[in-house]
Amino acid sequence: MDRVDGRLKVTGAAKYSAEYELPNMAHAVLVGSTIAKGSIKSIDTKRAENAPGVLAVLHYQNSPKVPGYAQEAHPTEPKPAGKPLQVFIDNQIHFNDQPIAVVVADTLERAMYAAKLVKAQYNVDKHATDFNQNVPKAVLPTAAKRNPKHGLADYVRGKEDAYKNEPLKIESEYVIPTEFHNPMELQSIIAHWEADNRLTVYDKTQAVIGTQNAFAKDWGIPVENVKVIATFVGGAFGNGLHTWPHETAAIIAAKKVNRPVKLMLTREQMFTMVGYRPHAWQKVGMSATKDGKITAITHEAIGQTSSYEEFTESTLQQTRMMYTSPNVTTRYRILPLDVSTPIWMRGPGEATGAFALESALDEMAYVLGIDPLEFRLINHTDKDPEKNLPWSTKYLKEAMQMGAERIGWSKRQLKPGQVKNGEWLVGYGMGVGTFGANRGRAKVKGTLHKDGTLVMQSATTDIGPGTGTAMVQIAAQNLGLPPEKIVFELGSSLYPPSPSQGGSATVATVGSAVHAVCQALKQRLTSMVAGNADTSFKGATVENLTFKDGYVSLTASPSARLSFTDILKQQNLPELEVSEESSPDNSLRQKYSMYSYSVHFAEVQVHPLTGQARVTNMVSCADAGTIINAKTAGNQMIGGAVGGIGMALTEGGVIDHRFGRYVTKDFAEYHVPVHADAPNISSLFVNKPDLINNPNGTKGIGEIAIIGVAPAIANAIFNATGKRIRELPITPDKLI
Amino acid sequence: MIQFQYVKPSKQKAAIDTVAKDETAMFIAGGTNLVDLMKRGIVNPEKLVDINKLPLRKIEKEDGHVRIGALALNGAVAEDKLILEKHPLLSQALNAGASAQLRNMATVGGNIMQRTRCNYFYDTAMPCNKREPGSGCGALEGYNRMHAIFGHSDKCIAVNPSDMNVALIALDAVVLVSGPKGDRKIPFAEFHRLPGDTPQIHTNLQKGELITSVDVPEHPYTKHVNYLKVRDRTSYAFALVSVAAALDMDGSNIKSARLAMGGVAHKPWRLNEAEQFLAGKPANEATFRQAAEIAMRGAKAFEHNKFKLKLGPNTIVQALKNAAGAV
Ligand SMILES: Cc1cc2nc3c(=O)[nH]c(=O)nc-3n(C[C@H](O)[C@H](O)[C@H](O)COP(=O)(O)OP(=O)(O)OC[C@H]3O[C@@H](n4cnc5c(N)ncnc54)[C@H](O)[C@@H]3O)c2cc1C
Ligand code: SF4
């Protein structure tokens, strides 16, 4: 089925947050600091204030106070895990390009111009932005300090660091640079105080309800007084999962000038103000027997965070559960630097961890002289070795087989540098990905109208995967109504609550509530027809009825049928409304371990003289439960693969540590892949349901689409050239 | 709002006079570079003289050369029949630059004049002698991956980012300019400058002088040519190193050669000695490797661009191989 909103998107009719026009709206532009650490000595705003059209220039000395800022976010001991940056509260500078002032004017151009006129003088402190120089300052995350059983705490299965004493082993270090989400749509917000204590925001966010709660708390107003609208989101990849300083700056500005205020970040600010995938160092030690049984893995990681907020991610999770190894040690640390706070980016943690783990697996396979696919199959595990639980479902082997066939894995030579296409060296590589098959709690309202249409509402968002489309399909299948008669509305805090769109959990979470709504509607329709004394439906139950094409019929004698419309008419009902909340069954979650899986196969060509590397074919296969919509699921896989190509070959942020300032802040210097970098990408699905996870049998796709892609490419490059590149991105200079 | 005046004269003389007389006036053609620079506050003209009404768009064969109007679009030149036939190297170089959308806006005159893409030049919070003389060179001890290995000074190590310029210098093009003091012709090799102590002066064009066209003289390099650009992604990125190679072949021997590099100096970098070496030699990898070594003499790299010392010669060898093999 095509996307329900596809036409709106391609014709430009879909409205994104910055596209709303409110009467009397003003425009705001942020001014960023030019030092990484220290304090503002003085700030000169005179020229900006006198510039034409300027309504206000706000900074720490004159900004209206945000009442909620005063409350300690984490009152508990020991030391708090930090808190988000609070704008304009004091003169302290924590990172370069930190917002130090917001300029509000009647037009965007005037605000931009005036923003350039704001000049600050600083007391400069010595900053620390260089990861390598500061590694000794890495610490255990607070959560792990508090609770040694926490997922971020050190983990030992079997014997600690057991690989060290084994004869057949590898030990390697891996580095990934900072990567930026950079969705097409810039982060933007329109803040409108409709009354002193009533706020409406059109906000680019993945979390409608989370944002509503955050702003209500900030401003000390009732939650229901905050309305958050995010009907369309032009990509996010995770950077809409946090509330950021620019959002509060716009709300402060709107309060001050008493007009709606629109604030859209510039592309450069997208690199400094709304999170990123943190720079990470990793080390993997691995040992195996001659015949390919992994005996031990030790995986260590250090991820960058900011000085004011602890950001952590599950970098090492995959290592604990993916392979049979009896001995596994993981150690995770974070390194606070004078930079802004990272945020989850597609495949958060796992994509980073998989680069090291799956590269190490490839290295080990070469040491053993075993085909890397064979090596993974040997160490395949049919139960979760970390939790000692059966999997809800796991069809990774099937996925591997499909992918290997499609890419032509048999053409691969174990020895590197053997296959050529003209001057180009050809190589094949693979990488496996996994991510928790998460599910949360969501509520959906469904209204069946007497014209036979169903309207559902929930406060989830759609950052691009096609959430509305999937929900319509789930309802169509479960209720027996043609999809064109169904509408799914999302992206508004006025709708029943749903969690943020993150962690690949939306279809499992919200889809389950849609399923529940359909069940409830069927139940209600059944009671109505069953109570109808003079028909053949008398005494009918849901089980012996068929719901199809908007009709209810007796399964045993399909000629007796009634349309949903007629049922409502008979009951004199204009509509039938149900609201259902659905949560995961915790008892099942204690009995089973639930993950989605992917395996990626890459064919690359590398030019031996110029070091140019091209991915020439890519096959991504997923075990992601039931595939609701093959098109949108395929889009996810292809998008993830392209993201993975960027991670492997082109993307990386660079800071000039003398200034603690990024020197790669636009698309000329920070290279996202272009079409010429993306080959034909096939996405394949096992498409078998996981009914333990949820009644629709789905598991998430968004994250596993990228997790494992970068190592597949790096491994293919090794197979082509014999060069093992352990620091991303793999640019031509590393291959000559 | 950034205030500036905008005029669009239809007479060349009016355009030249306006820019010559007004210290803050600048020509604008496709605007693909200038508008970006203005938005970032790197250049701040108070008057823009749009030259798009001037009749400078033609590509014509004249006696001994092809004359390309300064306003001919990069995309149009790359696909022009005459250029494909007479100067295929130029076509290849143009197509290696930017994106199709940009090539359809960008002009030949604007391309010649485009400013460096040095990260520090583009960020007004950073030191840069080119943008703000005396403020220091941010790149010298900073992130200098994209920077020069030839002809740099301790004041500036930036490179000229143009692909087209590399082909034009290899083909001995001549830039025709018209200014308040009359017309003159500038050989391509003398058009751009090395940074020396005055990196803020980027070319030898004088204030008020307008590029009217570029002449590309007749030459025998119509078959064995290659523009090879190595970059951080497959398309739409500036060159780490690029090479324009053109051979005139006699069987498997090289009669004469043209060779130039991009991404290595403040100006497109012609490799005269390597060209001389190639003349009369057999076209094989050993010859190409020797030529590349000659070409690299005197190269000096910095912390982050050392790879160019190896990528440079490798790319020369490969471009020569491609050119020799190209039919
Ligand atoms: C994202 C991006 C990627 C790019 N990638 C590449 C690339 O890979 N390779 C490459 O070579 N280029 C690349 N470019 C640069 C592009 O080629 C130049 O921006 C373009 O050629 C400039 O031409 P224009 O007509 O738009 O010049 P304008 O922006 O109009 O003018 C540029 C300068 O030239 C002056 N000028 C213009 N015409 C004349 C004239 N007739 N006489 C005297 N002065 C004149 C102007 O005053 C101004 O100073 C890229 C640009 C962008 C934005
Ligand atoms: S290399 Fe040149 S352009 Fe770059 S910072 Fe130094 S002076 Fe400026």
Side-chain angles (χ1 to χ4, degrees), chain B residues 116 118-121 127-131 136-140 147 155-158 199 266:
Chain B
T116 184
C118 171
N119 320 51
Y120 299 85
F121 178 68
C128 170
N129 285 328
K130 188 184 268 298
R131 178 169 34 76
C137 170
L140 190 64
H147 289 73
K155 298 284 186 300
C156 177
I157 60 171
H266 199 259

Side-chain angles (χ1 to χ4, degrees), chain A residues 296-411:
Chain A
I297 310 175
T298 292
H299 190 168
E300 296 171 82
I302 305 175
Q304 164 182 321
T305 185
S306 67
S307 61
Y308 52 91
E309 197 174 7
E310 274 193 13
F311 173 80
T312 59
E313 50 186 12
S314 47
T315 311
L316 304 175
Q317 184 53 30
Q318 182 159 340
T319 303
R320 298 174 180 186
M321 47 62 73
M322 198 64 215
Y323 299 107
T324 46
S325 179
N327 303 295
V328 173
T329 305
T330 67
R331 292 184 205 101
Y332 178 71
R333 300 288 181 273
I334 48 173
L335 177 56
L337 295 172
D338 297 313
V339 294
S340 62
T341 307
I343 190 69
W344 300 290
M345 178 164 154
R346 197 172 196 176
E350 277 82 349
T352 301
F355 170 58
L357 177 67
E358 292 294 306
S359 294
L361 232 77
D362 203 64
E363 297 198 35
M364 191 78 234
Y366 276 98
V367 168
L368 300 170
I370 297 178
D371 178 280
L373 173 59
E374 181 61 29
F375 186 46
R376 285 174 175 87
L377 289 172
I378 294 172
N379 292 287
H380 180 89
T381 165
D382 282 322
K383 70 170 193 349
D384 182 343
E386 180 192 13
K387 297 187 194 136
N388 207 11
L389 290 176
W391 308 110
S392 55
T393 52
K394 181 178 181 183
Y395 302 110
L396 178 58
K397 277 185 182 168
E398 284 87 332
M400 285 182 176
Q401 198 183 351
M402 288 164 96
E405 260 165 40
R406 179 66 72 93
I407 196 92
W409 189 253
S410 53
K411 284 178 286 191

Side-chain angles (χ1 to χ4, degrees), chain A residues 538-557:
Chain A
K538 188 166 179 298
T541 62
V542 175
E543 287 70 37
N544 58 26
L545 292 177
T546 298
F547 292 77
K548 196 162 173 264
D549 298 335
Y551 284 86
V552 180
S553 59
L554 281 172
T555 310
S557 57

Side-chain angles (χ1 to χ4, degrees), chain A residues 294-622:
Chain A
I294 298 176
T295 49
I297 310 175
T298 292
H299 190 168
E300 296 171 82
I302 305 175
Q304 164 182 321
T305 185
S306 67
S307 61
Y308 52 91
E309 197 174 7
E310 274 193 13
F311 173 80
T312 59
E313 50 186 12
S314 47
T315 311
L316 304 175
Q317 184 53 30
Q318 182 159 340
T319 303
R320 298 174 180 186
M321 47 62 73
M322 198 64 215
Y323 299 107
T324 46
S325 179
N327 303 295
V328 173
T329 305
T330 67
R331 292 184 205 101
Y332 178 71
R333 300 288 181 273
I334 48 173
L335 177 56
L337 295 172
D338 297 313
V339 294
S340 62
T341 307
I343 190 69
W344 300 290
M345 178 164 154
R346 197 172 196 176
E350 277 82 349
T352 301
F355 170 58
L357 177 67
E358 292 294 306
S359 294
L361 232 77
D362 203 64
E363 297 198 35
M364 191 78 234
Y366 276 98
V367 168
L368 300 170
I370 297 178
D371 178 280
L373 173 59
E374 181 61 29
F375 186 46
R376 285 174 175 87
L377 289 172
I378 294 172
N379 292 287
H380 180 89
T381 165
D382 282 322
K383 70 170 193 349
D384 182 343
E386 180 192 13
K387 297 187 194 136
N388 207 11
L389 290 176
W391 308 110
S392 55
T393 52
K394 181 178 181 183
Y395 302 110
L396 178 58
K397 277 185 182 168
E398 284 87 332
M400 285 182 176
Q401 198 183 351
M402 288 164 96
E405 260 165 40
R406 179 66 72 93
I407 196 92
W409 189 253
S410 53
K411 284 178 286 191
R412 183 179 180 281
Q413 303 287 318
L414 193 60
K415 198 159 161 248
Q418 302 301 298
V419 187
K420 277 193 173 186
N421 175 18
E423 289 169 340
W424 296 74
L425 299 163
V426 182
Y428 297 87
M430 67 179 291
V432 173
T434 186
F435 197 80
N438 299 327
R439 178 180 162 195
R441 184 169 65 182
K443 195 167 178 181
V444 172
K445 182 169 102 179
T447 311
L448 184 63
H449 294 274
K450 76 163 184 269
D451 63 359
T453 57
L454 170 68
V455 176
M456 294 179 292
Q457 294 176 327
S458 188
T460 182
T461 55
D462 181 359
I463 60 172
T467 304
T469 310
M471 295 308 137
V472 165
Q473 279 185 283
I474 290 174
Q477 280 155 21
N478 283 287
L479 190 57
L481 200 59
E484 52 285 4
K485 296 225 157 140
I486 306 173
V487 175
F488 187 86
E489 296 178 336
L490 47 68
S492 165
S493 61
L494 297 176
Y495 301 152
S498 264
S500 56
Q501 181 158 66
S504 300
T506 303
V507 172
T509 303
V510 186
S512 297
V514 167
H515 185 272
V517 160
C518 294
Q519 295 312 110
L521 283 171
K522 275 158 81 171
Q523 197 61 58
R524 295 280 296 275
L525 290 168
T526 304
S527 331
M528 287 174 190
V529 294
N532 217 337
D534 56 344
T535 70
S536 47
F537 286 103
K538 188 166 179 298
T541 62
V542 175
E543 287 70 37
N544 58 26
L545 292 177
T546 298
F547 292 77
K548 196 162 173 264
D549 298 335
Y551 284 86
V552 180
S553 59
L554 281 172
T555 310
S557 57
S559 57
R561 61 175 209 163
L562 264 176
S563 70
F564 297 174
T565 310
D566 286 339
I567 300 171
L568 293 194
K569 272 193 199 139
Q570 283 175 358
Q571 303 284 325
N572 250 335
L573 284 175
E575 62 191 27
L576 182 56
E577 185 189 300
V578 301
S579 281
E580 289 292 324
E581 191 175 79
S582 171
S583 321
D585 181 338
N586 280 331
S587 68
L588 281 175
R589 293 219 157 226
Q590 275 156 22
K591 276 192 248 162
Y592 295 95
S593 182
M594 305 189 194
Y595 286 91
S596 289
Y597 298 91
S598 61
V599 53
H600 310 273
F601 292 89
E603 179 195 83
V604 303
Q605 296 192 3
V606 180
H607 197 282
L609 276 187
T610 59
Q612 294 156 291
R614 309 239 192 290
V615 181
T616 46
N617 193 8
M618 180 98 220
V619 179
S620 286
C621 314

